[in-house]
Amino acid sequence: MTYQILFLDIDGTILKPDHTYHPKTKEAIAQVQELGMEVFLATGRPSHELSELAADLNIKSFIGYNGAYAMYKGKNILDAPMDPTIVKRYLAIAEEHGHDIIFYSSEDNFVTSLDSPPLIKFAEMFALSNLKPMNEDIIEHILGATLINVTPKEVSLYEKDDDIRLSQVNVNGAEQCYDVIRRSVNKGEAVKIALKHLTISAEASIAFGDGMNDKEMLETVGASFAMGNANPELFQYAKYETKTVADAGVFYGLKELGLVK
């Protein structure tokens, strides 16, 4: 198989918990780029938090907000904000049950509280900047959200809409944090849009991920890898298992396909 495109999750796939990456991970990305492959970052992170890492890895295309927004070499190919009624409903549920939420727009991160210890811890864990108080004016421009301080028993409070599922953040210390995933708008659907835009077949695509927010993406591509540190539930959706992020799992997965040396 001649592979043409690679989709890489960031946290737990490229980046270790200390926000660094294994040198072999960068080396692997450079090698496949030299082969002429397209490389996309595919993350739950907002696009405005990606510039430094993207520049360091020489990656110019990305899928952000768990599939709600995508750019190919500076060209916008996907922009799908959340339903404002769902945003308002989530704000009401969070207030009633003492939860926190980070909402992501194309330019900033909006929070339900600037003083919440769990929210501050989450922001520090992912080096999120530009935290601003949530306000009515931004509700129609929200691309994604992460729920914070939510117990497993409370997940169902937010899954009343058939298009919504929650994905537990796959990072130690963030077990009570959940990304909001839309079944109609997710990494897998964004990958399909990118493949159509570039006229590349799914069989010629590769993806690596570690969290349940990567499920649809791994189901979509031709060669899918779950990192060794992945959520145990994710392995059933991947064709291959590779080493952990700390052990340069991206490098060894691509090596298994014969794409790096």
Side-chain angles (χ1 to χ4, degrees):
M1 168 60 66
T2 300
Y3 293 104
Q4 297 177 266
I5 191 166
L6 170 64
F7 298 94
L8 294 170
D9 172 54
I10 293 180
D11 298 291
T13 299
I14 294 176
L15 291 184
K16 297 180 287 184
D18 64 359
H19 307 297
T20 65
Y21 51 78
H22 197 292
K24 283 187 174 294
T25 298
K26 184 175 183 178
E27 179 184 333
I29 293 169
Q31 285 194 42
V32 297
Q33 288 172 328
E34 289 175 4
L35 294 175
M37 289 182 61
E38 301 283 355
V39 180
F40 275 70
L41 297 175
T43 179
R45 286 177 177 259
S47 60
H48 54 81
E49 301 281 356
L50 301 180
S51 57
E52 184 175 342
L53 177 65
D56 195 39
L57 298 176
N58 192 33
I59 296 175
K60 298 179 174 62
S61 303
F62 64 85
I63 292 166
Y65 311 90
N66 281 311
Y69 191 85
M71 294 279 289
Y72 173 66
K73 293 183 177 179
K75 181 180 180 180
N76 186 342
I77 59 175
L78 172 63
D79 188 352
M82 293 179 64
D83 183 339
T85 61
I86 292 178
V87 175
K88 292 178 181 178
R89 187 188 315 150
Y90 279 15
L91 284 168
I93 296 170
E95 183 176 5
E96 179 181 355
H97 294 274
H99 303 152
D100 294 300
I101 309 178
I102 297 183
F103 292 100
Y104 309 107
S105 77
S106 61
E107 298 180 356
D108 295 293
N109 307 313
F110 294 88
V111 298
T112 49
S113 171
L114 290 171
D115 303 318
S116 162
L119 197 152
I120 292 170
K121 178 183 176 182
F122 182 88
E124 291 175 348
M125 191 177 298
F126 290 93
L128 296 176
S129 57
N130 300 324
L131 298 183
K132 297 183 177 180
M134 185 60 181
N135 63 79
E136 289 283 333
D137 294 339
I138 200 66
I139 284 177
E140 294 185 355
H141 305 284
I142 297 301
L143 289 159
T146 303
L147 310 178
I148 297 169
N149 198 31
V150 176
T151 67
K153 290 183 179 179
E154 294 173 314
V155 166
S156 60
L157 294 170
Y158 296 91
E159 292 185 325
K160 303 300 184 183
D161 189 294
D162 290 340
D163 192 44
I164 298 290
R165 71 174 181 85
L166 299 191
S167 172
Q168 185 180 52
V169 176
N170 190 49
V171 174
N172 289 336
E175 289 81 5
Q176 292 192 339
C177 302
Y178 293 83
D179 285 332
V180 177
I181 308 296
R182 286 174 276 171
R183 291 183 169 84
S184 59
V185 180
N186 52 62
K187 289 187 184 183
E189 294 302 313
V191 164
K192 292 176 185 177
I193 288 172
L195 294 175
K196 182 177 181 180
H197 182 77
L198 296 170
T199 61
I200 295 175
S201 69
E203 291 75 19
S205 63
I206 308 167
F208 287 75
D210 74 300
M212 288 304 291
N213 60 328
D214 298 310
K215 177 179 80 73
E216 291 90 351
M217 177 171 72
L218 298 190
E219 291 178 309
T220 299
V221 300
S224 53
F225 286 85
M227 304 295 290
N229 51 280
N231 183 316
E233 295 183 23
L234 187 67
F235 292 113
Q236 63 186 304
Y237 301 104
K239 293 182 180 177
Y240 305 96
E241 178 181 345
T242 186
K243 295 187 178 185
T244 67
V245 62
D247 294 322
V250 170
F251 177 91
Y252 288 102
L254 293 173
K255 185 175 182 179
E256 185 174 349
L257 296 180
L259 296 172
V260 303
K261 299 178 181 178

